[in-house]
Amino acid sequence: MLKNSFYILLTLFCVMACKTPEARRPVASKSGSFIQESVKRNKKMVAKEEKIIANIIKKDSINNYLSSSDGFWYYYNAQNIEDTLTPHFGDLVEFDYDISTLEGTPIYTKKEIGTREYVIDKENVFNGLRQGLKLMKEGETVTFLFPSHKAFGYYGDSEKIGRNIPIRSTITLNSISLEKNQ
């Protein structure tokens, strides 16, 4: 009898030991509401900035603004209608620019920034500047109105530009040097 009980317990123990492990349940589950709220907040912010830019454009009867497919607006101060060459990936460009508030209050002057050299899409500059330079031809001066997500975004520049600040920038493209592999 004792021997039979031992075998029954042993068999029962073996059967129980072969049970597959159950997955642990998370302590707290996330519903994704934070991301959804963040998306709503960002859409409202973009709409607000675009409305401000639309009002600036509406009040400016002197300049002919163009809308870029990249989400910013611009007009030509000096246009080069003779050339067709625009910079592409890997080209070296030399340019001057300034940054101001949308209303025109200077943040960084051309003198403060100085003449810059930039290899298209191979160096780190703010998104709007990178995309704006690709629209320009040598010798052109263009004024851009960038919403904050095309400028310095959520973090600003850690100096004079705060977070989520739309900007105005006037850029003069001095020269384009084609990439050597072309």
Side-chain angles (χ1 to χ4, degrees):
M1 177 86 166
L2 190 59
K3 212 175 195 185
N4 287 341
S5 297
F6 176 73
Y7 287 121
I8 291 172
L9 281 174
L10 184 60
T11 306
L12 190 60
F13 178 74
C14 288
V15 169
M16 294 295 254
C18 294
K19 183 179 174 189
T20 58
E22 288 186 30
R24 294 186 298 165
R25 302 283 175 228
V27 175
S29 64
K30 296 185 180 187
S31 64
S33 63
F34 173 77
I35 293 173
Q36 292 169 352
E37 290 300 317
S38 180
V39 168
K40 285 180 189 176
R41 202 171 34 254
N42 286 336
K43 283 182 178 182
K44 284 181 185 177
M45 182 184 62
V46 169
K48 179 182 173 187
E49 290 176 8
E50 287 179 354
K51 186 176 181 181
I52 292 168
I53 291 172
N55 286 335
I56 290 171
I57 292 170
K58 187 177 181 181
K59 290 178 184 176
D60 187 353
S61 59
I62 297 171
N63 298 301
N64 180 28
Y65 286 84
L66 302 168
S67 176
S68 100
S69 61
D70 292 313
F72 55 85
W73 294 262
Y74 62 100
Y75 65 86
Y76 288 92
N77 302 75
Q79 190 171 11
N80 178 349
I81 56 173
E82 295 174 7
D83 290 336
T84 59
L85 180 66
T86 57
H88 296 285
F89 179 85
D91 293 344
L92 175 69
V93 294
E94 183 182 280
F95 63 98
D96 297 296
Y97 73 109
D98 64 15
I99 297 175
S100 62
T101 64
L102 287 178
E103 295 76 25
T105 305
I107 298 173
Y108 292 106
T109 64
K110 287 183 180 185
K111 185 177 180 182
E112 284 178 276
I113 298 170
T115 300
R116 292 269 324 261
E117 285 188 342
Y118 166 65
V119 179
I120 298 291
D121 292 335
K122 289 189 175 183
E123 296 178 43
N124 193 18
V125 296
F126 71 90
N127 195 0
L129 178 59
R130 184 181 74 237
Q131 293 168 337
L133 284 167
K134 291 180 194 177
L135 298 173
M136 298 177 68
K137 295 178 239 166
E138 201 169 89
E140 290 185 328
T141 300
V142 180
T143 298
F144 294 91
L145 303 180
F146 296 117
S148 64
H149 65 277
K150 291 293 175 182
F152 292 90
Y154 180 77
Y155 294 105
D157 76 339
S158 303
E159 291 180 34
K160 294 183 179 182
I161 301 172
R163 65 185 204 184
N164 298 324
I165 302 294
I167 61 170
R168 175 187 303 254
S169 182
T170 301
I171 304 170
T172 301
L173 182 57
N174 301 322
S175 66
I176 301 171
S177 300
L178 301 178
E179 184 181 33
K180 303 268 188 250
N181 297 342
Q182 290 184 350

